[in-house]
Amino acid sequence: MRILMPIDASSYSKAAVAFVASRARLMKSRPDVELLNIQYRVPLRAARALGKEMVNSYHDSEANRALKPALATLKRADVKAGARYVVGTVANELAAIVAADAADLIVMGSHGDTGLRKLLLGSVTSTVMASCATAMLVMRDEPPTKKDSLKLAIALDGSRYGVAAVRFFVKHRDFFGATPALTLVHVVPDLLNLVVPGFFGRVPVPNLKPEQIEAMQSAAFEAAMVPARKLLERAGVTATEVRLSGNDPGDQIAVYAAKNKLDLIALGSHGQGALESAVLGSVATRIAAKCQVPLLFVREK
């Protein structure tokens, strides 16, 4: 497994590196880790006054503040890692690098301290996610778990994107521990309280009998579960299946994650395009806003 880690000297990046180091010890073969630091350019007028040698020395020093401790952490876990830095902007250099890299997984710490805090996961994380189709693990504000085997849920929405998250889990399952506790979660609509857009505003759906509601919810749940179930059965993996009910799936999943003390939530990303769909989408946005569990986004390539 090749892991690309864009990092800085923050506590968020340090926690992400520590998490990868702890995972690496559990994997049958050590991952190939590449650390990447982006240094913003010194303003042109200041650069001219300082001179090229001093500017280069400044960038070296700033990059080493992030890269050296991270390399030491990985070395203690017996992980060989490469490290480099580039000078430029996140929007250009970082996005181009991650798009061209052959990584299986990108791991980043989310600062969560920008104006996009409630909507997304920070501007840097959002830029990276919008620029590539690589699976991405976003560590959150709280310290990551130190457990060997993770307790995780894969959120299925009935599309191929959720199945892609299951496929990633099967391919890289030792990253999640020797005996991870896997749950497949699907949220069915609460048809008793569902309203739909109408000519005169939002109106309730027609009255349904309880047995009709149960039949419709069961059918939706089975349709979401069957493809994932088949993948896991072929891989010899067992999973718990959980049906939640609600009309804001992200809220329901966030509540479930908090109540059951999950270590990670995995979900499919609907790909590149408009900012909302490329970065998170409404369900993931709600999950990110409601809980601090690390989020693994998997693209369908």
Side-chain angles (χ1 to χ4, degrees), residues 35 227 272:
L35 301 173
Q272 295 166 267

Side-chain angles (χ1 to χ4, degrees), residues 1-149:
M1 178 187 244
R2 176 170 170 78
I3 300 175
L4 178 65
M5 297 195 69
I7 65 170
D8 54 23
S10 71
S11 59
Y12 305 97
S13 287
K14 291 175 183 176
V17 172
F19 180 76
V20 169
S22 70
R23 297 289 95 201
R25 288 193 291 267
L26 305 171
M27 301 176 72
K28 296 175 182 177
S29 58
R30 290 291 189 262
D32 171 20
V33 178
E34 177 80 10
L35 301 173
L36 175 66
N37 177 254
I38 304 294
Q39 290 291 311
Y40 288 97
R41 296 185 187 280
V42 174
L44 183 58
R45 182 176 296 180
R48 287 173 176 170
L50 293 170
K52 183 177 181 180
E53 185 175 342
M54 187 168 290
V55 169
N56 289 341
S57 177
Y58 166 77
H59 286 308
D60 287 342
S61 176
E62 287 298 296
N64 283 334
R65 285 203 310 123
L67 297 174
K68 280 191 173 182
L71 285 170
T73 297
L74 294 170
K75 184 177 181 180
R76 287 194 294 271
D78 195 27
V79 177
K80 291 183 179 179
R84 59 177 165 143
Y85 77 88
V86 296
V87 178
T89 62
V90 171
N92 294 321
E93 278 69 24
L94 182 52
I97 289 169
V98 298
D101 199 282
D104 299 297
L105 178 66
I106 298 169
V107 181
M108 291 184 66
S110 176
H111 290 227
D113 57 1
T114 71
L116 298 174
R117 172 69 173 89
K118 293 183 179 179
L119 177 62
L120 305 174
L121 291 169
S123 58
V124 175
T125 304
S126 302
T127 298
V128 175
M129 289 187 66
S131 67
C132 70
T134 305
M136 184 171 182
L137 175 60
V138 181
M139 307 305 297
R140 309 301 303 284
D141 294 355
E142 296 180 358
T145 181
K146 295 182 180 180
K147 295 188 298 186
D148 286 348
S149 293

Side-chain angles (χ1 to χ4, degrees), residues 213-283:
I213 292 175
E214 174 58 30
M216 294 171 70
Q217 290 178 330
S218 294
F221 182 76
E222 280 300 302
M225 288 292 144
V226 167
R229 193 183 293 154
K230 289 180 178 178
L231 275 174
L232 295 177
E233 286 175 354
R234 286 198 296 268
V237 177
T238 59
T240 301
E241 297 179 2
V242 171
R243 188 178 88 178
L244 303 176
S245 177
N247 297 321
D248 289 306
D251 288 0
Q252 300 301 317
I253 293 169
V255 170
Y256 177 84
K259 183 178 179 180
N260 291 274
K261 299 181 179 179
L262 296 183
D263 300 312
L264 187 148
I265 299 172
L267 61 162
S269 171
H270 287 215
Q272 295 166 267
L275 183 62
E276 182 180 6
S277 61
V279 179
L280 287 176
S282 59
V283 173

